[in-house]
């Protein structure tokens, strides 16, 4: 079976979406479009949702891509074209620790992200902090990924509830398993 050509990597902030998307892009020879670069302009100015949707639609019309997230204003566009969704459904403690470590590292290093933006102490301590987003969005993200996995009409979904399970899948060459049934060609959730 050929590897999927259109992949969405989904998960809560800090779960490792971008890291996995970059690795899969290299492994499968697919172009990766970091979603944060499409959503944020310099100075942390958010791109209007209509423009976000236009940008995402232009990518999703292509035959090959990887995206590292899908947000409310255009999630339907991505799900309508994805061959595979890889959900990083890790426990809250795992993803929050990763997010906290990444955020503290970015604060210390001044690393530029998303079109030259930087995380600052002020942004981390604000109500719009990525740490707050994690805490308030965790349950919604988890329910959303699990609903996608249970929906036979949607794209194929692989859910990973443990980083070790993802590492094992990657070590085995990121195999994909055809779904059973005459109407679906694709993948099935991991069991």
């Amino acid at each position: 079976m050929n590897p999927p050509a259109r992949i969405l990597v989904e998960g809560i902030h800090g779960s490792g979406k971008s890291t996995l998307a970059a690795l899969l892009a290299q492994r499968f020879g697919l172009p990766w479009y970091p979603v944060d670069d499409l959503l944020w302009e310099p100075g942390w100015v958010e791109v209007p949702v209509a423009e976000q949707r236009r940008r995402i639609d232009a990518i999703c019309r292509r035959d090959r891509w990887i995206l590292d997230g899908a947000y409310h204003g255009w999630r339907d566009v991505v799900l309508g074209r994805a061959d595979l969704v890889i959900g990083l459904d890790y426990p809250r403690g795992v993803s929050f620790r990763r997010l906290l470590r990444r955020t503290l590292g970015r604060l210390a290093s001044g690393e530029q992200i998303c079109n030259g933006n930087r995380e600052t102490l002020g942004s981390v301590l604000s109500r719009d902090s990525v740490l707050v987003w994690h805490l308030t969005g965790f349950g919604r993200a988890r329910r959303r990924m699990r609903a996608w996995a249970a929906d036979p009409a949607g794209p194929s979904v692989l859910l990973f509830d443990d980083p070790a399970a993802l590492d094992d899948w990657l070590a085995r060459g990121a195999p994909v398993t055809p779904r059973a049934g005459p109407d679906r060609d694709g993948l099935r959730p991991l069991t």
Side-chain angles (χ1 to χ4, degrees):
M1 176 178 195
N2 292 331
R6 295 178 302 272
I7 300 173
L8 167 63
V9 178
E10 185 59 65
I12 191 66
H13 310 287
S15 59
K17 298 182 303 289
S18 298
T19 301
L20 179 60
L23 187 140
L24 293 176
Q26 182 179 26
R27 182 171 288 186
F28 295 143
L30 296 172
W32 167 41
Y33 300 93
V35 168
D36 285 345
D37 289 346
L38 301 169
L39 306 186
W40 296 104
E41 297 295 336
W44 289 111
V45 174
E46 186 174 5
V47 173
V49 173
E51 176 60 14
Q52 291 178 26
R53 188 174 179 88
R54 188 199 65 72
R55 291 176 181 185
I56 295 298
D57 184 61
I59 291 166
C60 290
R61 289 179 182 274
R62 298 174 183 169
D63 291 332
R64 299 166 41 80
W65 47 261
I66 293 181
L67 291 169
D68 57 355
Y71 296 100
H72 61 86
W74 41 266
R75 189 175 291 128
D76 60 310
V77 174
V78 178
L79 292 175
R81 290 280 294 157
D83 296 324
L84 174 64
V85 175
I86 299 174
L88 304 179
D89 187 20
Y90 301 152
R92 181 189 298 266
V94 170
S95 56
F96 191 78
R97 278 190 305 275
R98 286 179 166 192
L99 178 63
L100 185 59
R101 185 173 45 245
R102 182 187 80 188
T103 301
L104 293 174
R106 286 177 175 172
L107 283 174
S109 71
E111 175 187 350
Q112 288 188 1
I113 55 173
C114 336
N115 295 312
N117 291 303
R118 297 178 200 277
E119 292 187 63
T120 65
L121 188 57
S123 70
V124 170
L125 297 177
S126 77
R127 278 188 250 188
D128 289 329
S129 167
V130 69
L131 301 174
V132 173
W133 292 348
H134 182 284
L135 295 172
T136 59
F138 180 83
R140 284 189 308 274
R142 173 168 269 185
R143 287 188 298 276
R144 184 173 44 250
M145 287 185 292
R146 291 176 178 185
W148 294 344
D151 182 3
S156 299
V157 177
L158 295 176
L159 282 180
F160 293 94
D161 61 4
D162 179 337
L166 175 64
D167 291 344
D168 180 60
W169 180 73
L170 291 168
R172 291 183 288 125
V176 292
T177 306
R179 278 197 183 179
D183 299 330
R184 282 297 294 247
D185 198 15
L187 313 173
R188 64 182 167 147
L190 291 178
T191 55

